[in-house]
Coordinates of all heavy atoms in Angstrom, one line a residue:
I1 N 9.0 44.2 108.3 CA 10.5 44.1 108.4 C 11.0 44.2 109.7 O 11.9 43.6 110.2 CB 11.1 45.2 107.3 CG1 10.7 44.9 106.0 CG2 12.6 45.3 107.5 CD1 11.0 46.0 105.0
E2 N 10.4 45.2 110.5 CA 10.9 45.4 111.9 C 10.5 44.3 112.8 O 11.2 43.8 113.7 CB 10.3 46.7 112.4 CG 10.9 47.9 111.7 CD 10.1 49.2 112.1 OE1 9.0 49.1 112.7 OE2 10.7 50.3 111.8
S3 N 9.3 43.6 112.6 CA 8.9 42.6 113.4 C 9.6 41.3 113.2 O 9.7 40.4 114.0 CB 7.4 42.4 113.3 OG 7.0 41.9 112.0
T4 N 10.1 41.1 111.9 CA 10.7 39.9 111.6 C 12.3 39.9 111.7 O 13.0 38.9 111.6 CB 10.4 39.4 110.2 OG1 10.8 40.4 109.3 CG2 9.0 39.0 110.1
L5 N 12.8 41.2 111.9 CA 14.3 41.3 111.9 C 15.0 40.5 113.0 O 14.6 40.5 114.1 CB 14.6 42.9 112.1 CG 16.0 43.3 112.3 CD1 16.8 42.9 111.0 CD2 16.1 44.8 112.6
D6 N 16.1 39.9 112.6 CA 16.9 39.2 113.5 C 17.8 40.3 114.3 O 18.7 40.8 113.6 CB 17.9 38.2 112.8 CG 18.7 37.4 113.7 OD1 19.0 37.8 114.8 OD2 19.3 36.3 113.3
Q7 N 17.4 40.6 115.4 CA 18.0 41.7 116.2 C 19.5 41.6 116.5 O 20.2 42.4 116.6 CB 17.3 42.0 117.5 CG 15.9 42.4 117.3 CD 15.7 43.9 116.8 OE1 16.5 44.7 117.1 NE2 14.6 44.1 116.0
N8 N 19.9 40.2 116.5 CA 21.3 40.0 116.9 C 22.3 39.8 115.6 O 23.4 40.0 115.8 CB 21.4 38.7 117.7 CG 20.7 38.7 119.0 OD1 20.8 39.8 119.7 ND2 19.8 37.7 119.4
H9 N 21.6 39.5 114.5 CA 22.4 39.3 113.3 C 21.9 40.0 112.1 O 21.6 39.4 111.1 CB 22.5 37.8 113.0 CG 23.0 36.9 114.1 ND1 22.1 36.3 115.0 CD2 24.2 36.7 114.7 CE1 22.8 35.6 116.0 NE2 24.0 35.9 115.8
P10 N 21.7 41.3 112.2 CA 21.0 42.1 111.1 C 21.9 42.0 109.8 O 21.3 42.0 108.7 CB 21.0 43.5 111.6 CG 21.9 43.6 112.8 CD 21.9 42.1 113.3
R11 N 23.3 42.0 109.9 CA 24.1 41.9 108.7 C 23.7 40.6 107.9 O 23.5 40.7 106.7 CB 25.5 41.9 109.2 CG 26.5 41.8 107.9 CD 27.9 41.7 108.4 NE 28.4 42.9 109.0 CZ 28.9 42.9 110.3 NH1 28.9 41.8 111.0 NH2 29.3 44.0 110.7
Q12 N 23.7 39.5 108.6 CA 23.3 38.2 107.9 C 22.0 38.2 107.4 O 21.7 37.7 106.3 CB 23.7 37.1 108.9 CG 23.5 35.8 108.2 CD 23.9 34.6 109.1 OE1 25.0 34.6 109.7 NE2 22.9 33.6 109.3
W13 N 21.0 38.8 108.2 CA 19.6 38.7 107.9 C 19.3 39.5 106.7 O 18.6 39.0 105.7 CB 18.8 39.3 109.1 CG 17.4 39.3 108.9 CD1 16.6 40.5 108.7 CD2 16.5 38.3 108.8 NE1 15.3 40.2 108.5 CE2 15.2 38.8 108.5 CE3 16.6 36.9 108.8 CZ2 14.0 38.1 108.3 CZ3 15.4 36.2 108.7 CH2 14.2 36.7 108.4
Y14 N 19.8 40.7 106.5 CA 19.5 41.5 105.4 C 20.3 40.9 104.1 O 19.8 41.0 103.0 CB 20.0 42.9 105.6 CG 18.9 43.7 106.5 CD1 19.3 44.3 107.6 CD2 17.6 43.8 106.0 CE1 18.3 45.0 108.4 CE2 16.6 44.5 106.8 CZ 17.0 45.0 107.9 OH 16.0 45.8 108.7
S15 N 21.5 40.3 104.3 CA 22.1 39.7 103.2 C 21.3 38.6 102.6 O 21.1 38.3 101.4 CB 23.4 39.1 103.6 OG 24.3 40.2 104.0
A16 N 20.6 37.8 103.6 CA 19.7 36.7 103.1 C 18.5 37.2 102.3 O 18.1 36.6 101.3 CB 19.2 35.9 104.3
L17 N 17.9 38.2 102.9 CA 16.7 38.9 102.3 C 17.0 39.3 100.8 O 16.3 39.2 99.9 CB 16.1 40.0 103.1 CG 15.5 39.6 104.4 CD1 15.0 40.9 105.1 CD2 14.2 38.8 104.1
M18 N 18.2 40.0 100.7 CA 18.5 40.5 99.5 C 18.8 39.5 98.4 O 18.4 39.6 97.3 CB 19.8 41.5 99.5 CG 19.4 42.8 100.3 SD 20.8 44.0 100.4 CE 20.1 45.4 101.2
D19 N 19.5 38.5 98.9 CA 19.8 37.4 97.9 C 18.5 36.6 97.5 O 18.3 36.3 96.4 CB 20.7 36.4 98.6 CG 22.2 36.9 98.6 OD1 22.4 38.1 98.2 OD2 23.0 36.2 99.1
Y20 N 17.6 36.4 98.4 CA 16.3 35.8 98.2 C 15.5 36.6 97.3 O 14.9 36.0 96.3 CB 15.7 35.4 99.5 CG 14.3 34.6 99.3 CD1 14.2 33.5 98.5 CD2 13.2 35.0 100.0 CE1 13.1 32.8 98.3 CE2 12.0 34.3 100.0 CZ 12.0 33.2 99.1 OH 10.8 32.6 98.9
G21 N 15.5 37.9 97.5 CA 14.7 38.7 96.6 C 15.3 38.8 95.3 O 14.5 38.8 94.2
T22 N 16.6 38.8 95.0 CA 17.2 38.7 93.7 C 16.8 37.4 93.0 O 16.5 37.3 91.9 CB 18.7 38.6 93.9 OG1 19.2 39.9 94.4 CG2 19.4 38.5 92.5
Y23 N 16.7 36.2 93.8 CA 16.3 35.0 93.2 C 14.8 35.0 92.8 O 14.6 34.6 91.7 CB 16.5 33.9 94.3 CG 15.8 32.7 93.9 CD1 16.2 31.8 92.9 CD2 14.6 32.3 94.6 CE1 15.5 30.6 92.6 CE2 13.8 31.1 94.3 CZ 14.3 30.3 93.3 OH 13.6 29.2 93.0
L24 N 14.0 35.6 93.6 CA 12.6 35.6 93.3 C 12.4 36.4 92.0 O 11.6 36.0 91.2 CB 11.7 36.2 94.5 CG 11.6 35.5 95.6 CD1 10.9 36.2 96.8 CD2 10.8 34.1 95.4
K25 N 13.1 37.5 91.8 CA 12.9 38.3 90.7 C 13.4 37.6 89.4 O 13.1 38.0 88.3 CB 13.6 39.6 90.8 CG 12.9 40.6 91.8 CD 13.4 42.0 91.7 CE 14.7 42.1 92.1 NZ 15.2 43.6 92.2
S26 N 14.2 36.6 89.6 CA 14.8 35.9 88.5 C 13.8 34.7 87.9 O 13.9 34.3 86.8 CB 16.1 35.3 88.7 OG 15.9 34.1 89.6
V27 N 12.9 34.4 88.8 CA 12.0 33.2 88.5 C 10.5 33.8 88.4 O 9.7 32.9 88.0 CB 12.2 32.1 89.4 CG1 13.6 31.6 89.4 CG2 11.8 32.6 90.9
L28 N 10.3 34.9 88.8 CA 8.9 35.4 88.8 C 8.7 36.8 88.2 O 9.7 37.5 88.0 CB 8.4 35.7 90.4 CG 8.3 34.4 91.2 CD1 8.1 34.9 92.7 CD2 7.2 33.5 90.8
P29 N 7.5 37.0 87.7 CA 7.2 38.5 87.3 C 7.5 39.3 88.5 O 7.2 39.0 89.7 CB 5.8 38.6 86.9 CG 5.4 37.1 86.7 CD 6.3 36.2 87.5
N30 N 8.2 40.5 88.2 CA 8.7 41.3 89.4 C 7.6 41.7 90.3 O 6.7 42.5 90.1 CB 9.3 42.6 88.8 CG 10.1 43.5 89.9 OD1 10.1 43.1 91.0 ND2 10.6 44.5 89.4
P31 N 7.6 41.1 91.6 CA 6.6 41.4 92.7 C 6.6 42.9 93.1 O 5.6 43.4 93.6 CB 7.0 40.5 93.8 CG 7.8 39.4 93.1 CD 8.4 40.0 92.1
T32 N 7.7 43.6 92.9 CA 7.7 44.9 93.3 C 6.9 45.8 92.5 O 6.7 47.0 92.8 CB 9.2 45.5 93.3 OG1 9.7 45.4 91.9 CG2 10.1 44.9 94.2
R33 N 6.3 45.4 91.4 CA 5.4 46.2 90.6 C 4.0 46.3 91.4 O 3.2 47.2 91.1 CB 5.0 45.4 89.3 CG 6.2 45.4 88.3 CD 5.8 44.6 87.1 NE 6.9 44.6 86.2 CZ 7.0 43.9 85.0 NH1 6.0 43.2 84.7 NH2 8.1 43.9 84.3

C-alpha cells in the first residue's frame, strides 16, 4: 500500500481502491477471507 500510494493525490487514490474493492467483492468470493 505504501509503495503504490499516489503521494500527490491520496484522496482520489484511496477512493479508487475502495470502489474497486467493493466491485471485486460483488463478483468474486470475498478475497479478504
